[in-house]
Amino acid sequence: MKTKSEQNVKPLYVTRPELPPLEDFTAYLSKIWERRWLTNNGVFHRQLEEELAGFLGVRYVSLFSNGTLALVTALQVLRITGEVITTPYTFVATTHALNWNRIKPVFCDIEPQTMNMDPEKIEVLITPETTAILPVHVYGNPCATEKIQKIADIHGLKVIYDAAHAFGVKRDEQSILNSGDLSVLSFHATKIFTTMEGGAIVTNDPKLKKRIDFLKNFGFADETTIMAPGINGKMNEMQAALGLLQLKEVEESISSRKQLSERYRAFLAEIPGLSFLEEQRGIQYNYSYFPVFIDGKKFGKSRDQLYEQLKKQNIFARRYFYPLTSSFSMYRGLPSAKTKNLPIATKMSKQVLCLPLYPGLSEEEQNRVVGQLRTNLRLGK
Ligand code: T4K
């Protein structure tokens, strides 16, 4: 039971979307109303594709109504079949996208430094049925893209990155979205750049761009020609309008996330049993999440006990990513889903807790989160 004073404390969620002033959005809405063009490659849609490609430093962006449909379509674009090597330490949409294409997910363990697919563990999972690798840049931490590409090239495999968290991330000044054959973004309400619901496929290949655009629009090449069994994955004009406004603010938003992340790092550095990810050199991060890892024995309380205690204080941290997708009923029967094959992913998913992190989080609110972590540490002893 929460006490009266606890109930009055403002809830702090893991994230909260940044929105432009409402009057700025209504100005865009007026244009949509004037034009009566609501979807199907409208003016704002085309403008956002162009502006995003420029901002992200990639050649082509194809907008989608959400990231999951973009993932499902990306697999269709490259005609992926059979088995795909992927990570269980992700949001369930990554694994479901394979399932929707009747592809068998083959789960690969992760590296403890990044939480991304461990490139050293990929090759043993390759069989004659393997056609592609589907890694995730978890929390926006770039995968070992060079090593993964080398393996893919040797074995003739495609690489599709689930880059749902990796908006704007660069390595050595180059967009991480240029890695592999295709990258898929999510613009969901919980992402640093949002169109409420939304997503995109990124490619540098003009032929692939064409195929993506056919596939997201039922397969239409013209009024009477259907090129492929497409789906309806189109983004509408209202979503695109919000995206255009978001793009003006996203750099500022990333820099305030960076400041908050640095404060967390400074304040949480000395807490026994609590660790966080080291930053890699040469990376321009987007600071989309702040995961901490709780070693119950040293901290004095398990991750789940801490999670529940924080909830009582109206702090809604989230366990991204627990449970592993390999443990869900539709996947756990697969040989690669066995816990003994996924020791690091299993361990980390039991320890992780993503703390509130978003531009509107005040220093006082962040101090509240840090204070509660310290209080729980003391109580645990
Ligand atoms: N691949 C990866 C690696 C992904 O992480 C995701 C999505 C996808 C693919 C699929 O992309 P999309 O099809 O979604 O575009 C959330 C999101 O729904 C999901 O988009 C995201 N990953 C995942 C990591 O997180 P939930 O179930 O945790 O969301 P929810 O509704 O509990 O929201 C979390 C918190 O955010 C709330 O406690 C409060 C805040 N919030 C949420 C919404 C929806 C707001 O303040 N405003 C809002 O409108 O999955």
Side-chain angles (χ1 to χ4, degrees), residues 13-17 65-69 71 90-94 136 162-165 185-191 197-199 289 316 318 320-321:
Y13 297 105
V14 67
T15 191
R16 204 156 171 262
S65 47
N66 61 64
T68 304
L69 268 177
L71 271 174
T90 184
F91 188 60
V92 71
T94 316
V136 182
D162 181 337
H165 304 176
L185 289 163
S186 165
F187 306 147
H188 182 258
T190 54
K191 299 293 186 278
E197 291 277 358
Y289 295 86
F316 298 95
R318 291 295 290 266
Y320 298 136
F321 289 102

Side-chain angles (χ1 to χ4, degrees), residues 307-344:
Y307 165 78
E308 294 298 338
Q309 284 299 323
L310 291 178
K311 272 209 291 194
K312 284 192 188 148
Q313 300 299 323
N314 270 358
I315 298 171
F316 298 95
R318 291 295 290 266
R319 292 166 290 186
Y320 298 136
F321 289 102
Y322 168 84
L324 296 177
T325 69
S326 50
S327 71
F328 294 125
S329 60
M330 64 287 324
Y331 305 118
R332 65 176 170 236
L334 295 168
S336 65
K338 289 201 176 80
T339 305
K340 73 170 173 38
N341 297 331
L342 304 166
I344 310 288

Side-chain angles (χ1 to χ4, degrees), residues 25 64 75 136 179 210 220 244 252 260 264 267 269:
F25 191 54
F64 274 76
L75 292 158
V136 182
S179 317
K210 248 185 162 170
F220 276 118
L244 287 168
E252 207 179 307
L260 289 164
Y264 269 139
F267 290 142

Side-chain angles (χ1 to χ4, degrees), residues 113-355:
Q113 305 84 355
T114 62
M115 305 297 129
N116 291 331
M117 186 185 283
D118 185 340
E120 307 303 328
K121 297 184 179 165
I122 295 176
E123 266 182 311
V124 292
L125 299 172
I126 296 174
T127 75
E129 302 301 311
T130 312
T131 54
I133 308 173
L134 175 60
V136 182
H137 302 297
V138 181
Y139 313 129
N141 282 327
C143 291
T145 50
E146 269 185 28
K147 286 187 182 167
I148 292 173
Q149 196 58 53
K150 228 179 195 167
I151 297 168
D153 290 344
I154 291 170
H155 297 273
L157 307 176
K158 300 286 185 194
V159 184
I160 299 174
Y161 282 99
D162 181 337
H165 304 176
F167 186 95
V169 174
K170 293 189 173 164
R171 178 187 274 138
D172 301 329
E173 311 288 319
Q174 284 300 315
S175 173
I176 199 72
L177 304 173
N178 288 319
S179 317
D181 295 278
L182 297 173
S183 290
V184 175
L185 289 163
S186 165
F187 306 147
H188 182 258
T190 54
K191 299 293 186 278
I192 61 162
F193 170 90
T194 179
T195 55
M196 296 200 181
E197 291 277 358
I201 305 182
V202 171
T203 179
N204 287 325
D205 180 338
K207 279 197 197 131
L208 286 183
K209 163 73 175 157
K210 248 185 162 170
R211 183 163 160 78
I212 297 164
D213 290 345
F214 289 147
L215 280 170
K216 77 171 191 190
N217 186 27
F218 311 100
F220 276 118
D222 60 41
E223 258 182 64
T224 51
T225 317
I226 291 285
M227 300 290 286
I231 190 95
N232 181 358
K234 289 165 284 143
M235 177 179 278
N236 69 47
E237 286 291 273
M238 283 210 226
Q239 290 171 286
L242 182 61
L244 287 168
L245 284 166
Q246 288 259 318
L247 208 44
K248 298 180 200 223
E249 306 294 333
V250 71
E251 272 178 329
E252 207 179 307
S253 162
I254 290 174
S255 89
S256 63
R257 284 170 173 279
K258 180 174 186 207
Q259 278 176 25
L260 289 164
S261 298
E262 281 166 1
R263 281 189 97 235
Y264 269 139
R265 279 176 188 277
F267 290 142
L268 301 177
E270 301 301 320
I271 298 192
L274 183 153
S275 59
F276 38 79
L277 300 176
E278 291 289 322
E279 292 198 351
Q280 304 170 54
R281 260 199 283 166
I283 307 297
Q284 195 176 314
Y285 288 97
N286 65 13
Y287 306 94
S288 45
Y289 295 86
F290 196 88
V292 295
F293 299 86
I294 305 298
D295 178 338
K297 279 203 187 108
K298 292 189 191 140
F299 189 80
K301 228 179 221 155
S302 71
R303 185 276 312 272
D304 287 340
Q305 286 170 323
L306 176 63
Y307 165 78
E308 294 298 338
Q309 284 299 323
L310 291 178
K311 272 209 291 194
K312 284 192 188 148
Q313 300 299 323
N314 270 358
I315 298 171
F316 298 95
R318 291 295 290 266
R319 292 166 290 186
Y320 298 136
F321 289 102
Y322 168 84
L324 296 177
T325 69
S326 50
S327 71
F328 294 125
S329 60
M330 64 287 324
Y331 305 118
R332 65 176 170 236
L334 295 168
S336 65
K338 289 201 176 80
T339 305
K340 73 170 173 38
N341 297 331
L342 304 166
I344 310 288
T346 303
K347 177 176 169 205
M348 301 324 278
S349 82
K350 286 183 184 157
Q351 294 194 352
V352 69
L353 198 57
C354 288
L355 302 181

